Amino acid sequence: MAKTPPLMELPIKTAEGGFYNGFSKDVTVTAKILVGALIIWAVAFPDNAASVLGSLNSFLLANFATWYIWVVAFFIIVCILLALVPSTGRLTLGLPEDKPEFSNFSWFSMMFGAGIGIGMLTFATAEPIYHFATNPDVIVGSAEGSSAENVRNAYKWSFLHWGIGAWACYALVGLSLAYFSYRRNLPLTIRSALVPLFGRSLSGTLGHVVDIVAVVATVLGVAQTLGFGVNQFVAGVHRIGLGDWLLNEDGSASTMAIVFALLVIMGASTLSALSGVGKGIKWLSNINMGLSFFLLAFFLIFGSTFFGLQALFVGIFDYLINLPSMMFTVWRADGVEDSVATQLSSWQGGWSVFYWAWWIAFAPFVGVFLARISRGRTVREYVLGAIIIPSMMCFVWFAIVGGTAIDLSLNGDAGDAITGAGAESQLFAMLDVMLSSGLAWVMALIVVILLLTYLVTSADSAVLIVNTINSGGDEGPKGRPHIIFWGAALALVVGALLVIGGLGAIQTAMVIGALPFSFVMLLMGFAVIKGIWRDAIREKNGVESVYRG
């Protein structure tokens, strides 16, 4: 009833001594067993693992494409609705008198760095280039691939995957957790977001299952991101001259290079995670945001500026006009090989459905992290800050950096130097086309440093978030052996899956891991609507809805 105070206590049993002191053994041990079993399976039986994962992936893409498309549309609607309704948008994530812990710049830096920073360096060039060649408009024959008329279509589809949909997944989880944790003093862990639906039962087995699903999804979602980052890091290190041993004959990262990259990245991220959010992660986020602005400014000054700005404004217009149809359209194969319907279904499974699964798998990590750094902000400020601003930043990157690559390819200056390179190498290939060899080397070094800071920020944030969930929402830094364990586990998951099947194996595992958490997120959407709406009514009736000790 909205005329009575809400539930403000959700006890979660944690160990009071021993190795798991302060941690929920049910969640932590089970999650470790599941992740450990995946690593052992991939290493000991690589062929079987690749075969089974591939079959499961095909089944999920064939049977759950509609689910992924519609559930992400639901997340967008929930977030925008809660922000725009005056009675819900003005509610504070915390006590009414709470002020934000971090400045707007630090808040945005940490949010963007943990959320999509790595992807920008790979996909800001690679995705517009890909969709410039082919996209649904090309498949149905309404545009010619790799032509000037297809530039608008390339950006319409690129913005779909990196815009409001992506950030609504993150924002929904973060909003739910921040709201119930900081207003009602519930633990900062995934199960707390479902309290309006399931109440005190979440203290037991049901809550444990929810948190375990979140931990596994986090590990696989972050593994996907790190996998892309590791490949680009290896390509960059090779570009700056660390040796041919880094690449196989086909240009892919060698096993030794993967091991080297993971040792560097996870070693640095584990040290950073041990220092906590307010120190290592905050400073790394500020550094990589500064370097990001430097790189973006470089392309604004020396890249195809007019072409990129035109792509930005026209692309945003096309994106917003076409967003409803792009968000809700599901293409189904007709069973005829190479038919238009089959090609559209294949494209959507390889791009939109893959991205929605990726963002959902990444959502528990980014969501908990967003909640951790957003106390004191209103619902409206949080939603607009966590969806609109990062989306715009992604659009600017895609338009300026990707636009330069398209312009160089379209006008013949680059030939196939950019389009012919792998996704992980296209940014470096573009720098080689634009600059002399010496300056290209300097810029490649800056990109490698920036990529490393993004990788470390994402990995150490993920380790801290996993431990926060495992410890029943305790935000304090603790459990050094557990920080080290999850750092090593992340490295092993990435390394094992890259070795047995490259990025495709990681993608498959991630899509599988995202499915159960997508159902949890659907429930979170209904729960946060119910909780916030009832608190707005409580406020009108003079009923206390925040915890004051």
Side-chain angles (χ1 to χ4, degrees), residues 445-510:
L445 178 62
I446 292 173
V447 170
V448 169
I449 294 172
L450 174 58
L451 179 61
L452 181 60
T453 63
Y454 271 134
L455 286 165
V456 172
T457 302
S458 293
D460 62 11
S461 300
V463 169
L464 287 178
I465 295 313
V466 165
N467 272 329
T468 297
I469 298 173
N470 285 336
S471 59
D474 188 343
E475 301 176 53
K478 62 175 184 177
R480 285 175 173 265
H482 301 283
I483 289 176
I484 295 171
F485 171 86
W486 286 111
L490 260 179
L492 289 171
V493 167
V494 175
L497 292 176
L498 278 178
V499 169
I500 70 166
L503 285 172
I506 298 182
Q507 174 182 336
T508 298
M510 179 272 300

Side-chain angles (χ1 to χ4, degrees), residues 19 27 115 134 151 230 249 324 352 421 443 474 525:
F19 182 73
V27 175
T134 184
V151 173
V230 164
E249 290 184 2
S352 299
M443 288 303 299
D474 188 343

Side-chain angles (χ1 to χ4, degrees), residues 422-446:
E424 72 281 355
S425 301
Q426 287 180 334
L427 178 57
F428 300 109
M430 179 167 58
L431 292 171
D432 285 339
V433 171
M434 294 173 61
L435 304 170
S436 65
S437 59
L439 288 176
W441 184 91
V442 172
M443 288 303 299
L445 178 62
I446 292 173

Side-chain angles (χ1 to χ4, degrees), residues 10-30:
L10 186 67
I12 300 174
K13 183 181 178 182
T14 57
E16 297 181 357
F19 182 73
Y20 287 100
N21 181 40
F23 287 84
S24 169
K25 293 177 69 175
D26 295 305
V27 175
T28 308
V29 174
T30 306

